[in-house]
Amino acid sequence: MPYLSRIRINPLRAESRKLLASPRAMHAAVQGGVPGLPEQARTLWRLDPDNPHRPQLFVLTTDKPDWTHLVEQAGWPDADGEHYAIRDYAPLLQQLAPGRSFAFRLTANPVQNTSRPDKPTTLQQTRIEAGERRRGFRLGHRTATAQLNWFLSRTERWGFEVPTASHLDKTQDPDDDTPRDIRITKRQRRSFGKGLGTAKEAHVVMNSVTFEGSLRITDAALLTERLLAGIGPSKAYGCGLLTLAPLPDRE
């Protein structure tokens, strides 16, 4: 049974600063709240810093978690109020049906696969010269236009469509005849070590992008699969968690 959690993070604490600065450290902290072994279940998480003074961590788990350690290390353990909330995800999944619309948010790592990068790194060049090209190379999209096209070109396989917008968003192509109800709210290039040593190959570089907008369900089974399994690569580092919410009233 899946559960969606929301945890309040205190950005002024030393441990919080460590977690906020390192997706690898945050991933380890998230895994610490799940009773099962990491290889037994998929865990998705996303950090939402809408208010930088009160960032919130969202986590989707297959088992019911316990976030006491996160509150003690990176929250307000002795303060009043709800330190974290855990909700059964099944009621939301039961609401999914073709034609229904929701607001959504997703932080993803838009990538493309290529057999030969235009500007290969030293490690990539070594692989090319050694003939290790069967799997190709995964490169991140760097421009907002390419990142937006990555998202919109894949919605059908994810079980939804993004409806047309009533106005043209600044992140979209002004020459597009059918602007969609989607916007990019944050773009960030992250670079950090994997914690496997000092070798250059033990390094992660990713371009995380936060998309927000509205969607209309076309295939409830496909969307359910994406909600539970995540979207795109870098899921261990805060990408892939798609969340839904009721659409705000619009006049």
Side-chain angles (χ1 to χ4, degrees):
M1 180 182 297
Y3 294 89
L4 183 65
S5 303
R6 184 185 71 247
I7 306 115
R8 298 193 305 168
I9 303 296
N10 180 350
L12 298 180
R13 302 189 66 177
E15 183 64 20
S16 300
R17 291 195 293 270
K18 174 184 174 182
L19 297 179
L20 295 173
S22 170
R24 184 178 63 85
M26 183 66 82
H27 172 68
V30 166
Q31 291 300 122
V34 181
L37 296 175
E39 61 271 15
Q40 293 178 340
R42 168 76 69 186
T43 300
L44 301 172
W45 64 272
R46 186 184 74 225
L47 186 67
D48 284 1
D50 300 55
N51 181 346
H53 303 291
R54 296 291 186 274
Q56 297 188 94
L57 176 66
F58 288 85
V59 187
L60 183 67
T61 59
T62 53
D63 298 317
K64 190 172 183 179
D66 181 358
W67 305 118
T68 304
H69 70 294
L70 265 175
V71 174
E72 293 175 345
Q73 298 172 12
W76 290 268
D78 298 319
D80 293 333
E82 185 181 55
H83 300 291
Y84 63 83
I86 301 174
R87 300 288 183 265
D88 183 355
Y89 210 44
L92 171 67
L93 299 180
Q94 293 168 1
Q95 296 180 38
L96 303 182
R100 293 208 62 179
S101 297
F102 293 88
F104 75 85
R105 176 178 285 187
L106 167 71
T107 294
N109 178 20
V111 298
Q112 59 181 324
N113 292 316
T114 180
S115 60
R116 180 177 288 274
D118 293 335
K119 297 180 180 180
T121 64
T122 301
L123 178 60
Q124 290 171 343
Q125 186 62 40
T126 300
R127 289 180 56 193
I128 292 173
E129 294 173 353
E132 299 178 9
R133 297 174 52 187
R134 288 180 296 175
R135 294 180 58 189
F137 299 96
R138 178 179 288 176
L139 303 179
H141 289 292
R142 296 189 178 185
T143 68
T145 298
Q147 292 162 349
L148 194 64
N149 288 339
W150 173 88
F151 183 96
L152 291 174
S153 65
R154 287 163 171 75
T155 57
E156 182 178 358
R157 71 182 74 168
W158 297 337
F160 63 86
E161 60 185 6
V162 177
T164 57
S166 58
H167 62 281
L168 184 63
D169 192 274
K170 293 181 179 180
T171 62
Q172 295 187 335
D173 186 346
D175 296 326
D176 188 351
D177 294 331
T178 56
R180 303 293 176 178
D181 189 9
I182 181 175
R183 58 195 177 276
I184 291 176
T185 59
K186 185 177 181 180
R187 302 171 64 228
Q188 187 176 21
R189 181 176 173 82
R190 306 295 299 269
S191 178
F192 52 93
K194 294 183 69 173
L196 301 177
T198 59
K200 291 183 178 180
E201 59 266 29
H203 204 73
V204 176
V205 177
M206 68 180 191
N207 296 285
S208 64
V209 184
T210 300
F211 303 92
E212 295 183 25
S214 66
L215 61 81
R216 183 183 301 114
I217 300 173
T218 57
D219 188 313
L222 286 177
L223 178 55
T224 298
E225 181 181 352
R226 289 306 97 206
L227 288 171
L228 296 177
I231 289 176
S234 304
K235 296 181 180 70
Y237 303 126
C239 294
L241 177 57
L242 174 69
T243 53
L244 307 181
L247 283 169
D249 294 333
R250 300 180 179 178
E251 297 182 358

